[in-house]
Amino acid sequence: VVVDTMSYRSTAPTPWTTPLIYPQGVWFAALLVFAAAAVVLAARATVLLVSRRTDDLNREFHPKGAMEEVEVEIVDIGRR
């Protein structure tokens, strides 16, 4: 999308006609940061799981159980 925007010199359909490369460039950079963070966290979780360090895995990533999810929802409903 970013390459097409650059080659077509696309602009926003607003009175300012902002070049779309700016918001799309920011969006693409944020997507790269998110992807890098996801890969790093997945690798960390995999290392902990393979090395059988489940206590560390639970402490760092804290997967919630079904009852814990229900309790959070009940508290949230009570606040509304």
Side-chain angles (χ1 to χ4, degrees):
V1 171
V2 174
V3 172
D4 286 343
T5 298
M6 286 175 44
S7 63
Y8 295 133
R9 297 176 191 229
S10 300
T11 58
T14 62
W16 292 347
T17 63
T18 307
L20 289 177
I21 192 64
Y22 299 128
Q24 288 178 353
V26 170
W27 172 81
F28 185 67
L31 185 63
L32 289 177
V33 169
F34 173 79
V39 167
V40 168
L41 289 172
R44 174 71 178 152
T46 302
V47 166
L48 290 174
L49 185 63
V50 168
S51 63
R52 298 183 192 268
R53 294 171 46 194
T54 55
D55 291 337
D56 292 336
L57 181 66
N58 285 332
R59 186 173 20 83
E60 287 186 33
F61 293 96
H62 189 61
K64 292 182 181 177
M67 291 307 295
E68 210 172 357
E69 290 282 348
V70 169
E71 289 172 7
V72 168
E73 289 300 321
I74 289 172
V75 169
D76 188 46
I77 289 172
R79 281 192 222 140
R80 292 187 218 165

